[in-house]
Amino acid sequence: MKKTRLLILGSGPAGLTAAIYAARAGLKPVLVHGLQPGGQMTITTDVENYPGFADVIQGPWLMEQMQKQAEHVGTEFVNDLITDVDLSKRPFTLKGDSGETYVADAMVIATGAQAKWLGLPSEQKFQGFGVSACATCDGFFYRNKDVLVVGGGNTAVEEALYLSGLARKVTLVHRRDELRAEKILQTRLFNKDNVEVIWDHQLDEILGDDNPLGVTGARLIHAKTGMTQELKVDGVFIAIGHKPSTELFEGKLPMKDHGYLVTEPDSTATAIEGVYAAGDVTDDIYRQAVTAAGMGCMAALEAEKFLAAEEAVLEAAE
């Protein structure tokens, strides 16, 4: 059994920043890595929008540096996957896939979210080399180039609108004959001169070169006739939504649409006292490394304040 005052779940920017702040506050946090140590940043190659670096940096390197910093100030890291959690009473009890039991006075949930993918082998092959799920992360690299956006909801239209200010041409591909996005977003999209919508089509294959690895085009298939066509594009953005990693907390914590955890306004506090949520696990709007890090800071500060207040009450009662 491993006991800790603060348990942090997740090792992306939110979890690691929470660990840095909590460790510096003397809480001796324990951080459980989970399935993807480093989070989504580990599959992000060039990072150009994280403050503090004049040159392009690599996502895995940034996560490695954050972890080293958290270790340096006193965070204990554990390679495990939490499979069960009891939030009905404090201290909270969690079980790991390793068989270990974790007991914590407070907890930061920073398990993140995953972009939904189509499941094409070529999609996986070119991830980070012309295939992306985040226009605000990677759009800059396609300035004055041709890009393809796949999807028909708010995410897809927002990505296409953002890219229209950077790319030479944006082609939005949707499998139906009308978009699901809000009408105001659709109106903005249809008013863009450099945006074309291809209806009733799906992405069949991403085309590209192996040396150097990069996207050169896309093959589309008509949803009704099965006819195919090829487009020359420099980048493909998959925009069919995100799925937060919150299955563990279903029925135990209030959730927004699509499984994002609910937090109090201007706070990372959840409905259960002592449980905080930070980063993409609760943020369904921004989904950036820097905002996740900021929320990790907030969660650690709130957890520290909560534990200190509780300690003061116990001391006063003695």
Side-chain angles (χ1 to χ4, degrees):
M1 180 182 292
K2 185 175 286 291
K3 293 183 178 180
T4 179
R5 297 190 72 199
L6 180 65
L7 187 69
I8 300 169
L9 306 185
S11 54
L16 291 172
T17 305
I20 291 165
Y21 273 80
R24 292 186 76 250
L27 296 181
K28 298 180 180 178
V30 172
L31 186 149
V32 180
H33 274 296
L35 270 179
Q36 189 178 13
Q40 292 186 78
M41 289 293 284
T42 57
I43 58 170
T44 304
T45 49
D46 292 345
V47 176
E48 204 169 39
N49 56 2
Y50 198 88
F53 301 95
D55 298 320
V56 176
I57 57 172
Q58 300 298 300
W61 176 85
L62 180 60
M63 292 301 93
E64 182 184 303
Q65 293 300 305
M66 281 193 187
Q67 178 168 335
K68 285 180 178 178
Q69 186 178 1
E71 285 174 329
H72 177 72
V73 291
T75 301
E76 179 183 349
F77 284 84
V78 178
N79 287 311
D80 204 350
L81 176 67
I82 300 300
T83 56
D84 189 43
V85 55
D86 183 0
L87 302 179
S88 63
K89 60 183 183 299
R90 294 185 60 247
F92 308 119
T93 305
L94 301 90
K95 287 187 170 56
D97 189 54
S98 65
E100 181 70 273
T101 297
Y102 302 87
V103 178
D105 295 320
M107 184 167 61
V108 173
I109 302 168
T111 46
Q114 301 291 329
K116 292 180 182 177
W117 299 97
L118 297 169
L120 301 173
S122 56
E123 176 187 58
Q124 188 172 2
K125 175 182 178 180
F126 291 109
Q127 264 185 47
F129 297 93
V131 173
S132 173
C134 179
T136 50
C137 306
D138 302 322
F140 178 83
F141 301 110
Y142 299 93
R143 189 177 290 276
N144 299 319
K145 295 183 178 181
D146 297 338
V147 297
L148 184 77
V149 178
V150 180
N154 283 354
T155 299
V157 174
E158 286 168 352
E159 297 272 279
L161 285 168
Y162 180 83
L163 289 165
S164 70
L166 296 167
R168 179 173 54 206
K169 182 180 180 183
V170 178
T171 303
L172 179 70
V173 176
H174 186 42
R175 59 184 176 173
R176 298 189 176 92
D177 59 2
E178 62 178 0
L179 299 174
R180 302 186 314 277
E182 296 170 9
K183 293 300 180 186
I184 188 168
L185 292 175
Q186 293 190 41
T187 300
R188 289 177 193 162
L189 185 79
F190 298 144
N191 285 335
K192 293 288 184 181
D193 294 333
N194 64 336
V195 175
E196 178 188 359
V197 180
I198 298 181
W199 305 103
D200 296 318
H201 277 75
Q202 293 173 267
L203 180 63
D204 186 52
E205 198 70 79
I206 297 166
L207 311 174
D209 294 328
D210 285 343
N211 191 21
L213 199 61
V215 169
T216 59
R219 184 169 68 236
L220 308 180
I221 184 169
H222 196 284
K224 296 172 183 175
T225 67
M227 295 284 288
T228 61
Q229 62 169 302
E230 292 186 3
L231 293 179
K232 284 187 177 182
V233 293
D234 303 293
V236 176
F237 289 81
I238 309 298
I240 55 176
H242 286 73
K243 179 176 172 53
S245 303
T246 55
E247 297 89 347
L248 192 61
F249 304 101
E250 286 179 5
K252 298 174 182 179
L253 285 170
M255 295 182 181
K256 297 181 272 188
D257 290 343
H258 308 299
Y260 290 90
L261 294 177
V262 173
T263 55
E264 294 177 11
D266 302 318
S267 171
T268 63
T270 68
I272 295 180
E273 200 173 36
V275 179
Y276 305 89
D280 287 6
V281 78
T282 181
D283 175 15
D284 56 347
I285 299 173
Y286 303 105
R287 295 195 294 262
Q288 299 297 302
V290 67
T291 50
M295 293 178 76
C297 165
M298 291 167 59
L301 293 175
E302 289 183 281
E304 179 195 358
K305 186 177 179 180
F306 167 75
L307 291 169
E310 187 176 66
E311 200 171 81
V313 169
L314 290 173
E315 288 175 357
E318 289 177 356

